[in-house]
Amino acid sequence: MGKLSDVRGRITYISSHAKQENLYAVYETTERRYWTELAKCNQQEFQKSGTEGKCIEAREFIIALPESFPNLYEPDRLLQLFTDHFKEKYGAECVSALHHKKRKTNYHIHLIFSEREQLPEPIEKTATRNIFYEEQGKHVRTKKEILDENGDVRKGCKIVKKGEIHERNILTAKNKLFKQDGFVDEVKHFYTNLINTLVKDDKEKLHVFDENGLYLATKKIGKNNPKAEQIQTDNEYRMCWNREVDRAILSGVAETEIQQIRKEYITDRIKESIDLFGSQPERLGSILMSAVAVLAMLISKVLQKAKLSECAGILQYLP
């Protein structure tokens, strides 16, 4: 799930034929001006909070679709189906676009959604006394704090007089659901189930990766990602573990034993590393290779035990 700090710019990008070589459909659940109001509201709330970093104006999912879908479903109807399902479930306004990559691969949907809902009626607050705002829009207690050395109101500062409307809200607070840990996983299952009801070939049915399973997920490397080299290295270590898991299963190692090694030598070691050294991604490789070595030793023991058992079985038949 992506965090958008310029929602209007992102909407223009995903919905523009000039910017997208293979754009098939665009669908919106509300008027385009809504997103201008949303951006304004989020920026104002962000300034009030005094939080550092970038303001999150909206969020985005990219939904990969089976390559058979262009031949099975009309783009407009397909996009509307996926978007309306999201709005019906979560009550969020959306803008979506259906694309292919430049070489007509990776059929996918960009789904931008709002964390706020529109109020039935605006909520207006009237100033009970003069209110003073400094250049960044932050409320200050006294008029003196916004005056220059000549006693004049500094440029960019503002005074809202008693009786005037100083705040007008047309949107609710952000829905906390969208920040919860399980939300992304819930959406993955939600759309996986929807896709699986639409595919005609069982071979195209999807499964959500089980983060608590035996295997480690590899990470996608986005275009111009400054951490691409580190991610590629981590992916190679993860695939090395995954290959060793395959070998362990084929060798007859119990899944509970593999799961225990993963917990003790990967999950727990990563937590310990973060507690001791902070976030240091470069330490992941040594942790994973240590786990691979432990798993390899277990495989060797299981194979050796099986071999001895086989030999014992042969010996009992010898004269």
Side-chain angles (χ1 to χ4, degrees):
M1 179 171 62
K3 301 175 183 178
L4 305 180
S5 57
D6 177 15
V7 65
R8 292 167 296 178
R10 184 62 175 170
I11 289 171
T12 299
Y13 177 75
I14 69 167
S15 62
S16 169
H17 283 282
K19 298 180 181 293
Q20 302 297 332
E21 198 164 338
N22 298 304
L23 171 63
Y24 301 113
V26 176
Y27 181 68
E28 306 184 35
T29 62
T30 188
E31 296 178 350
R32 187 66 64 92
R33 64 185 180 185
Y34 167 86
W35 301 97
T36 300
E37 292 294 334
L38 176 69
K40 181 180 177 182
C41 174
N42 282 326
Q43 290 293 344
Q44 288 174 344
E45 292 296 320
F46 183 75
Q47 287 181 350
K48 286 181 188 177
S49 70
T51 305
E52 295 182 355
K54 291 184 178 181
C55 170
I56 299 173
E57 295 182 354
R59 294 177 184 260
E60 177 183 14
F61 280 113
I62 299 177
I63 307 159
L65 301 174
E67 287 303 321
S68 64
F69 275 22
N71 299 321
L72 296 174
Y73 303 104
E74 290 293 328
D76 291 303
R77 294 183 65 183
L78 184 68
L79 184 61
Q80 183 175 347
L81 174 68
F82 274 73
T83 309
D84 283 346
H85 265 57
F86 188 90
K87 182 176 180 179
E88 288 168 12
K89 185 172 179 65
Y90 298 108
E93 300 295 352
C94 307
V95 175
S96 56
L98 182 59
H99 295 167
H100 252 140
K101 289 288 188 182
K102 188 174 182 180
R103 296 181 180 178
K104 288 203 172 183
T105 58
N106 189 16
Y107 200 51
H108 64 280
I109 291 172
H110 290 265
L111 179 79
I112 294 172
F113 66 96
S114 171
E115 297 174 273
R116 302 178 188 269
E117 294 183 39
Q118 192 158 355
L119 292 166
E121 296 291 336
I123 298 176
E124 296 179 341
K125 294 183 180 180
T126 303
T128 57
R129 61 179 180 82
N130 289 351
I131 303 176
F132 312 105
Y133 295 93
E134 44 95 276
E135 290 89 342
Q136 283 73 42
K138 186 177 180 181
H139 171 254
V140 293
R141 197 168 60 86
T142 64
K143 183 178 180 180
K144 185 178 180 180
E145 294 175 76
I146 62 171
L147 300 180
D148 60 19
E149 57 187 12
N150 298 319
D152 298 321
V153 176
R154 297 195 304 272
K155 184 178 180 181
C157 296
K158 183 175 71 172
I159 301 174
V160 177
K161 295 181 180 180
K162 180 180 178 180
E164 294 181 347
I165 295 172
H166 72 93
E167 188 174 317
R168 185 175 186 271
N169 294 325
I170 64 170
L171 299 168
T172 65
K174 287 186 175 183
N175 188 337
K176 294 181 180 179
L177 168 67
F178 301 134
K179 291 184 179 180
Q180 292 180 3
D181 292 338
F183 172 65
V184 173
D185 191 55
E186 178 181 300
V187 173
K188 286 180 181 178
H189 282 87
F190 172 67
Y191 275 126
T192 296
N193 292 336
L194 178 58
I195 289 170
N196 286 344
T197 62
L198 296 173
V199 295
K200 304 299 183 184
D201 187 346
D202 286 345
K203 293 179 181 178
E204 286 193 312
K205 287 189 180 293
L206 305 178
H207 301 279
V208 177
F209 185 86
D210 183 4
E211 293 185 356
N212 297 315
L214 304 178
Y215 297 93
L216 298 175
T218 55
K219 295 183 179 180
K220 183 178 179 180
I221 303 175
K223 186 178 180 180
N224 299 323
N225 190 325
K227 297 181 180 179
E229 187 175 346
Q230 179 66 55
I231 295 172
Q232 179 61 38
T233 300
D234 287 350
N235 283 344
E236 289 171 3
Y237 285 123
R238 289 166 184 265
M239 288 188 288
C240 186
W241 164 262
N242 291 343
R243 286 192 295 269
E244 203 65 17
V245 170
D246 285 338
R247 199 166 74 89
I249 293 172
L250 291 172
S251 301
V253 178
E255 291 191 8
T256 53
E257 293 183 282
I258 303 172
Q259 190 67 264
Q260 182 60 33
I261 291 175
R262 176 181 166 167
K263 180 183 181 303
E264 185 177 343
Y265 288 90
I266 298 179
T267 306
D268 292 349
R269 295 284 174 89
I270 289 173
K271 288 179 180 177
E272 290 172 6
S273 176
I274 292 173
D275 290 341
L276 290 172
F277 306 106
S279 179
Q280 294 188 9
E282 62 275 11
R283 298 180 65 86
L284 178 65
S286 60
I287 292 173
L288 292 185
M289 294 314 296
S290 175
V292 167
V294 172
L295 183 55
M297 289 177 61
L298 178 58
I299 293 170
S300 179
K301 289 179 181 178
V302 169
L303 291 176
Q304 186 176 14
K305 185 178 179 180
K307 187 174 182 180
L308 289 173
S309 178
E310 182 181 351
C311 290
I314 294 172
L315 288 172
Q316 70 178 342
Y317 292 107
L318 293 178

